[in-house]
Amino acid sequence: MNTYIIGNRKNNKKIIDLGDDIKIGSKEFSIISGPCAVESEEQIELAAYTLSNMGVKILRGGAFKPRTSPYTFQGLGLEGLKLLKKAGKRHNMKIVSEIMDPRDIDCSYDYVDIFQIGSRNMQNYALLKEVGKFDKPVLLKRGMASTIEEWLKAAEYIASEGNDNIILCERGIRTFEKYTRNTLDLIAVPILKELTKLPIIVDPSHGTGRKELIRHATRAAVAIGADGVMIEVHPNPCEALSDGDQSLNFEEIKSVLSDIRAIKDCINSFNSY
Ligand code: PEP
Ligand code: MN
């Protein structure tokens, strides 16, 4: 499908090396976790402290939030990125945060280890081309109404500018099903493994929109061969300024992490991924 750079390279799987022995797409299953949005210093510090103690090495947190309504919390912007970086540094965690505008790139560059491009911007070609000019890894979420082919072509836009350090993230698509926020398309994982050298992670938080389903979706993501997951966690989900319904508390993420390890051990024994 004309994805020359990110196309399948048998035996040449792309590994995204974030330094400090943290690699996405390697044998180690990657866990990215943190709140939907950075809300305050206390909140992000507590999240980073607790998650790092549970072995999570990559911290997420939105500073520029793509909210459906312009009247809801839009994120703390640059101040949020500074708090995120400070918390990450204190707890030896790498940072991922969303950028929504080519003008966000320069000011975010020093604060993040991975630029996230969200579902709503998967086909923002100006943004894709601009991040493609930088050397920093990009986490490209699937557009909520995009086919796998459109998603891969979006990744190719980034790569065509020189940056093929791309992580794909399945986060669910819009279907007629209303019970969940999105329909998590897990079969995209093995399909993408055939079609591209890029690592693929799964976001069960946006993929389901319901905290009680995250455990199940995560178990399935590990079993189907994803390279990692990204899960939203909040110290007090009932008070979250965004995505509280799908955010796990610390006790819940702890239990999900232990599921991940158990299933990963089992998968490793198959030795076929
Ligand atoms: C997010 O990760 O907080 C987010 C807004 O995700 P998505 O772009 O998948 O909706
Ligand atoms: Mn969110």
Side-chain angles (χ1 to χ4, degrees), residues 189-241:
V189 173
I191 294 172
L192 286 162
K193 291 198 165 218
E194 279 300 312
L195 295 176
T196 171
K197 63 178 178 172
L198 302 178
I200 160 94
I201 68 164
V202 170
D203 172 351
S205 305
H206 295 86
T208 63
R210 301 172 62 133
K211 62 155 60 196
E212 70 276 18
L213 299 176
I214 289 169
R215 161 190 298 277
H216 306 292
T218 303
R219 288 176 175 174
V222 183
I224 209 163
D227 293 297
V229 282
M230 174 151 84
I231 302 178
E232 288 185 338
V233 165
H234 193 283
N236 186 358
C238 297
E239 287 181 3
L241 297 180

Side-chain angles (χ1 to χ4, degrees), residues 134-185:
F134 290 76
D135 53 1
K136 210 172 274 290
V138 179
L139 191 158
L140 180 65
K141 291 190 132 193
R142 181 176 186 174
M144 61 184 79
S146 297
T147 64
I148 287 173
E149 183 168 356
E150 287 161 344
W151 186 13
L152 284 179
K153 286 189 170 145
E156 188 76 11
Y157 260 95
I158 301 170
S160 68
E161 295 292 329
N163 183 1
D164 69 345
N165 288 307
I166 304 164
I167 304 138
L168 299 171
C169 178
E170 164 61 42
R171 50 78 72 207
I173 46 177
R174 280 270 170 89
T175 65
F176 52 80
E177 180 54 62
K178 290 275 179 275
Y179 195 81
T180 45
R181 181 177 179 183
N182 291 289
T183 297
L184 188 62
D185 183 15

